[in-house]
């Protein structure tokens, strides 16, 4: 499965070194994401955490490692450490999990288009383009939801394993 995923992401221009990945709970990483959001760094930090996890083999639950990543963006190490050692942003992450379950997001990656069609798992870019074109056409002409479409691929169940 590692080779299959590695090849699939390579086809879209990504390089994962999955044999270095440390399976870890991502809860602290999600809390850090909420923390950096107020600094306007959420997207950059999430990209950096993906690199740390998928390429560098870093433990994304480890608070000292997350503090080091935050320092790369000029954030105060003590503030980040104190935040992650507390329960701050726990409610926000739990809210995200509840919202995901309510919208039938039970695995990652999963993309929802126009609050309607869903694509999960690794997919060829053509699949995404077809869904985008379909949903854009519906939005443009009707402004209404079309018949939902679910496309499944390799993904990891939230709180479970990968398939």
């Amino acid at each position: 499965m590692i080779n299959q995923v590695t090849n699939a992401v390579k086809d879209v221009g990504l390089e994962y070194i999955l044999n270095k990945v440390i399976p870890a709970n991502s809860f602290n990483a999600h809390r850090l994401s909420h923390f950096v959001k107020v600094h306007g760094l959420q997207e950059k930090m999430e990209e950096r955490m993906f690199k740390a996890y998928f390429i560098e083999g870093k433990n994304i639950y480890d608070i000292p490692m997350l503090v080091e990543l935050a320092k790369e963006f000029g954030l105060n190490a003590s503030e980040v450490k104190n935040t992650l050692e507390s329960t701050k942003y726990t409610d926000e992450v739990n809210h995200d999990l509840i919202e995901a379950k309510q919208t039938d997001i039970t695995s990652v990656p999963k993309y929802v288009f126009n609050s309607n069609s869903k694509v999960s798992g690794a997919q060829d870019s053509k699949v995404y383009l077809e869904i985008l074109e379909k949903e854009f056409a519906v939005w443009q002409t009707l402004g209404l939801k079309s018949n939902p479409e679910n496309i499944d691929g390799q993904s990891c169940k939230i709180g479970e394993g990968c398939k």
Side-chain angles (χ1 to χ4, degrees), residues 8-153:
V9 300
K10 189 177 278 187
D11 288 345
V12 295
L14 298 173
E15 185 174 342
Y16 287 178
I17 305 173
L18 297 178
N19 60 345
K20 290 175 75 174
V21 166
I22 298 171
N25 186 318
S26 62
F27 201 84
N28 282 338
H30 286 276
R31 290 176 53 231
L32 178 58
S33 176
H34 279 280
F35 172 79
V36 301
K37 183 178 183 179
V38 299
H39 299 283
L41 296 168
Q42 188 174 36
E43 186 175 325
K44 289 179 180 179
M45 179 57 75
E46 288 176 354
E47 285 296 322
R48 181 63 185 100
M49 287 189 289
F50 287 140
K51 180 179 179 185
Y53 182 73
F54 288 110
I55 297 171
E56 299 169 2
K58 304 285 185 184
N59 181 343
I60 59 170
Y61 189 75
D62 182 63
I63 291 174
M65 192 282 299
L66 292 171
V67 169
E68 288 302 312
L69 294 182
K71 283 172 45 180
E72 292 178 18
F73 294 96
L75 296 172
N76 180 288
S78 295
E79 186 180 1
V80 175
K81 181 178 183 280
N82 291 338
T83 297
L84 292 176
E85 287 178 344
S86 73
T87 58
K88 196 163 185 183
Y89 299 106
T90 296
D91 290 342
E92 288 84 343
V93 175
N94 284 330
H95 178 267
D96 292 344
L97 290 169
I98 290 167
E99 185 178 346
K101 288 178 184 176
Q102 288 174 339
T103 56
D104 194 34
I105 296 175
T106 58
S107 62
V108 293
K110 184 163 244 172
Y111 302 95
V112 181
F113 299 90
N114 200 22
S115 301
N116 196 34
S117 296
K118 297 174 185 161
V119 177
S120 66
Q123 301 288 339
D124 186 275
S125 60
K126 292 175 187 169
V127 171
Y128 296 108
L129 181 59
E130 288 173 15
I131 290 288
L132 283 169
E133 288 173 341
K134 174 187 166 197
E135 290 300 329
F136 181 70
V138 169
W139 174 83
Q140 207 172 27
T141 58
L142 304 175
L144 302 173
K145 294 180 182 180
S146 63
N147 292 330
E149 185 171 352
N150 291 310
I151 300 171
D152 293 320

